[in-house]
Amino acid sequence: MSTEVLPPVAPDVLAEAVEQLSARLRKKLDAAVAECAARAEPASDGSVTVPFGEDAVVTLRPGASGAVTGADQAVCTCLLAPRCLHRAAVLGASPIADGETVSEPPSEPFLGAAPVSLSEPLSEAASVSLSEPLSEAASVSLSGASGTKDAGPEPGAAPSSGSGVPRGVADVGTEASQGPAPALSAAQVRAANALWEAAAEALSAGVTAGGTVVQAELLRAAHTARLAGLPRAEAAALRVVRGLRAARERGQGQRLGDLTGAFRELLAGAAVLAAGSSVPGATGTTRRAYEQGGSLRVFGLCREPVLSATGYGGVATHLLGPDGAFYTVSDVRPGGLSRARGAGSASVALGGAVLDHAGLARGGLRIVGATVSADGRLGAGRGVSATPVRGVSWEEEPAAALFARPVHEAMAAVFDGDALESEGAGAPLLGCDVEVIGAAGECLVVRVAGDGPVLRLRPAHPHPELPHAANLGRIARYPGLMLRVLGRPDPERAATLRPLAVGPVPGASDTLRLPEEWLGRADLGYDRLQGSHFPAVAERSVPVGPVGAGSDPLADAPLWRVRRLLETGVAGGRRAVAEAGRGADTAALVTPLRRAGLGGAAELARALTAEADRRPRDAFGRLRDASADGYARAWLASAVHLAAAERSLVVASWS
């Protein structure tokens, strides 16, 4: 058997079990966790047992939610129980449950998830003040400190110096920092301080030393944040813990860049809250909140398969209102790939509508008593009723307006409004008419009609069982083909669009020939393009001349050196960053950045390596400052600047 049979465990249960261990047993915990992989055995009553010899058997009895949410649901038969290594090891090997195992996770990311978009030059884009000014363009200050662990400031008051937690990081989120925000309570500030300290220690340890003990401290701080009314902070911490686990287990789907972004998101958000300042939506809610939207008339745009790494699958149908607002109707449940493939033709559970998702994607609905979440998802409450109406083609309004706007103007509005903050349903889609150039690696290279920029079209879902990649590969065989594309911009890559649907360009002769029942578009995640859908010309499998993907300012910039330094810190911890900044390595890191005009990035990287190597000791060789606070502030400063600089380069690539 494997640990896949182990039930999810609430964060506070694991944290408490680890805290009860002695220092000697904590050193053996990671090895004991690894030994649980082949011992888990499910029982007929729903419990799971893990034997450790003849006298020690750990039994997990999950509750009605399917998760272990109480200490009494995890018992061991050894004499040291419940303060035993066996019980803590089994809990440490089990998956981490969400704060509310039966509720939907927060729909919006925690503070700091979206990089800052910049208007000034990259060399002066942003700088962060640590212990002294690093450059002249300081827009994010991390030099302050927030209250103590024992007593927090009054609600809404700025914390006094003392603990070294950054303040003034509200600039990390762009639009999120505008508008009135509820004042934080003293308990929330204390919880954010604890979360910052735990996250800083986890960052200093890195993946190599971020074992179960380090993860348990972060889980305890996450649970405290939840009790204080900060569920988004807890969700950000859980993402870091899951990322640490996947990286230590060398999970196939784990990317070091994703874990680096998770650390940046957690630290930046905790810093804002620990400073006693909040932004609209900073605290969040456990469940997605739906508000009354009155009567709506929406028209289908396309369907998108939804497939998560946690075994969920389904479909999200994108809709458009007469005013240009985006909406989605989602049907996502456990089931993985098979459900993602089948949900495209499943019935729409919305107000008694008799449409399936395939019909809704090319039809429309008139909804009475609609409930809408903040990210545009339509709810299916008791008072909601929906009646099917005729859909509109992409040549008719309001859909036609998506393709009439110049692409650089549309992208400027998207980035300026921070609309890419959420990667889930509800994120705005971009439409444009393009001319196919050919395939370059895994990308389909196209040029926006009217001498626009060269774009790279990447599969929205690269899973081989979904037809995205196959459809793009078929289109690449027809250079010169005119396409109307609707997709989601990729904020992490220069001039990259992940298409969800394609259609013919009105008035073009060399374009798609789709069946009438498809209403002028093909959903790339469900419909498969055939030879009859292309113009009657000889198919050219190899385009004339080499196909270039166009310039990539993000790849050409030496910012990859900073990214590698930050990821080195996440993988190897503080010691790895210190080693990377010693001797000639410092010049190799800083000099190319300064030559490229990225003085702020160079100074922040230098400050990070210097802080990582700063380990002052007293006359007896003991560390005088063992706190990871300064190192975390320096790492966060460089990470925020890098995210801002990369976002600026991505924005520039669309012009």
Side-chain angles (χ1 to χ4, degrees):
M1 300 300 294
S2 70
T3 56
E4 293 179 356
V5 304
L6 293 172
V9 172
D12 58 307
V13 176
L14 172 58
E16 182 181 3
V18 174
E19 186 180 16
Q20 292 177 343
L21 296 179
S22 63
R24 179 180 62 86
L25 293 179
R26 290 189 181 189
K27 295 179 181 179
K28 301 179 180 180
L29 182 56
D30 287 335
V33 169
E35 294 177 0
C36 295
R39 297 180 177 178
E41 299 176 356
S44 58
D45 60 352
S47 63
V48 178
T49 59
V50 182
F52 287 86
E54 297 181 358
D55 300 329
V57 177
V58 179
T59 303
L60 301 182
R61 294 185 176 89
S65 63
V68 176
T69 57
D72 58 339
Q73 294 175 318
V75 296
C76 181
T77 59
C78 76
L79 296 177
L80 292 179
R83 304 174 182 271
C84 62
L85 180 65
H86 316 113
R87 180 173 176 270
V90 174
L91 292 175
S94 302
I96 298 297
D98 291 326
E100 286 281 347
T101 57
V102 297
S103 69
E104 201 169 11
S107 59
E108 299 179 14
F110 190 40
L111 297 177
V116 184
S117 42
L118 304 176
S119 57
E120 56 264 39
L122 288 180
S123 59
E124 302 176 353
S127 63
V128 182
S129 173
L130 299 170
S131 59
E132 57 185 6
L134 296 180
S135 68
E136 299 178 356
S139 61
V140 182
S141 173
L142 302 182
S143 59
S146 65
T148 63
K149 288 184 65 176
D150 298 328
E154 294 297 325
S160 58
S161 60
S163 69
V165 177
R167 63 182 175 185
V169 197
D171 290 334
V172 173
T174 53
E175 297 299 317
S177 61
Q178 300 179 3
L184 298 181
S185 66
Q188 288 176 324
V189 173
R190 288 195 297 270
N193 270 289
L195 189 60
W196 166 268
E197 293 173 3
E201 292 295 339
L203 176 67
S204 181
V207 172
T208 55
T212 307
V213 175
V214 173
Q215 296 169 22
E217 291 298 324
L218 193 52
L219 290 175
R220 174 171 291 280
H223 180 66
T224 303
R226 179 176 189 82
L227 295 179
L230 302 173
R232 286 188 190 167
E234 183 209 30
L238 294 185
R239 282 193 290 272
V240 170
V241 172
R242 293 189 179 105
L244 285 172
R245 286 191 169 193
R248 290 176 63 85
E249 296 170 1
R250 293 177 173 85
Q252 296 181 354
Q254 173 62 28
R255 292 176 57 246
L256 190 58
D258 294 337
L259 183 55
T260 302
F263 264 112
R264 185 189 73 241
E265 174 189 347
L266 173 60
L267 289 169
V272 173
L273 298 176
S277 59
S278 181
V279 298
T283 56
T285 58
T286 303
R287 293 177 178 269
R288 176 176 285 107
Y290 287 87
E291 298 181 355
Q292 292 297 326
S295 297
L296 289 177
R297 188 182 180 93
V298 293
F299 305 97
L301 289 175
C302 62
R303 295 170 292 168
E304 176 185 8
V306 177
L307 184 62
S308 73
T310 55
Y312 283 78
V315 63
T317 299
H318 297 268
L319 310 169
L320 188 67
D323 57 351
F326 289 96
Y327 300 94
T328 54
V329 173
S330 301
D331 182 8
V332 181
R333 301 176 188 175
L337 176 64
S338 60
R339 192 172 195 290
R341 297 171 62 180
S345 56
S347 299
V348 176
L350 181 65
V354 293
L355 283 175
D356 57 17
H357 282 273
L360 179 58
R362 295 179 172 89
L365 286 177
R366 183 188 298 275
I367 308 173
V368 178
T371 56
V372 187
S373 69
D375 61 353
R377 298 197 185 190
L378 297 176
R382 291 184 178 179
V384 178
S385 62
T387 304
V389 297
R390 186 188 72 88
V392 297
S393 68
W394 284 0
E395 301 179 30
E396 305 175 64
E397 296 294 343
L402 295 176
F403 306 93
R405 191 175 187 182
V407 65
H408 64 277
E409 292 183 8
M411 284 306 303
V414 166
F415 281 107
D416 289 344
D418 200 22
L420 291 178
E421 181 177 322
S422 172
E423 294 182 0
L429 304 180
L430 176 69
C432 57
D433 294 342
V434 301
E435 179 183 356
V436 175
I437 298 177
E442 62 179 1
C443 301
L444 172 62
V445 183
V446 299
R447 181 180 296 278
V448 176
D451 295 330
V454 174
L455 304 182
R456 304 164 188 82
L457 304 187
R458 288 180 174 268
H461 297 275
H463 197 287
E465 296 297 326
L466 296 175
H468 289 93
N471 283 330
L472 291 183
R474 190 64 183 265
I475 295 173
R477 301 176 185 175
Y478 294 86
L481 183 72
M482 299 298 297
L483 282 179
R484 176 158 281 188
V485 180
L486 183 66
R488 183 178 294 111
D490 190 335
E492 297 182 355
R493 290 182 171 88
T496 300
L497 188 69
R498 296 191 179 271
L500 302 180
V502 295
V505 175
S509 58
D510 195 5
T511 189
L512 292 176
R513 307 284 193 268
L514 300 180
E516 293 184 3
E517 58 270 21
W518 286 13
L519 203 63
R521 65 259 206 179
D523 296 330
L524 295 179
Y526 290 103
D527 302 324
R528 291 187 178 271
L529 295 176
Q530 307 295 332
S532 59
H533 299 152
F534 292 88
V537 296
E539 180 177 329
R540 291 163 286 181
S541 59
V542 180
V544 178
V547 173
S551 61
D552 189 343
L554 190 59
D556 297 338
L559 288 172
W560 62 267
R561 301 175 184 273
V562 181
R563 189 183 314 111
R564 185 175 64 180
L565 178 65
L566 295 174
E567 293 179 354
T568 297
V570 171
R574 181 172 183 166
R575 290 184 178 181
V577 175
E579 290 292 337
R582 289 174 182 167
D585 292 338
T586 303
L589 170 66
V590 173
T591 302
L593 293 171
R594 288 176 175 166
R595 288 177 178 173
L598 300 170
E603 190 63 22
L604 289 171
R606 184 202 61 78
L608 173 58
T609 56
E611 179 62 30
D613 201 26
R614 187 185 67 84
R615 306 287 281 178
R617 299 181 181 271
D618 58 18
F620 298 97
R622 297 172 300 191
L623 284 174
R624 287 199 306 242
D625 182 12
S627 172
D629 179 77
Y631 170 74
R633 286 188 282 123
W635 187 93
L636 177 59
S638 188
V640 168
H641 185 278
L642 174 66
E646 289 182 334
R647 173 61 66 92
S648 294
L649 290 174
V650 171
V651 173
S653 69
W654 286 85
S655 59

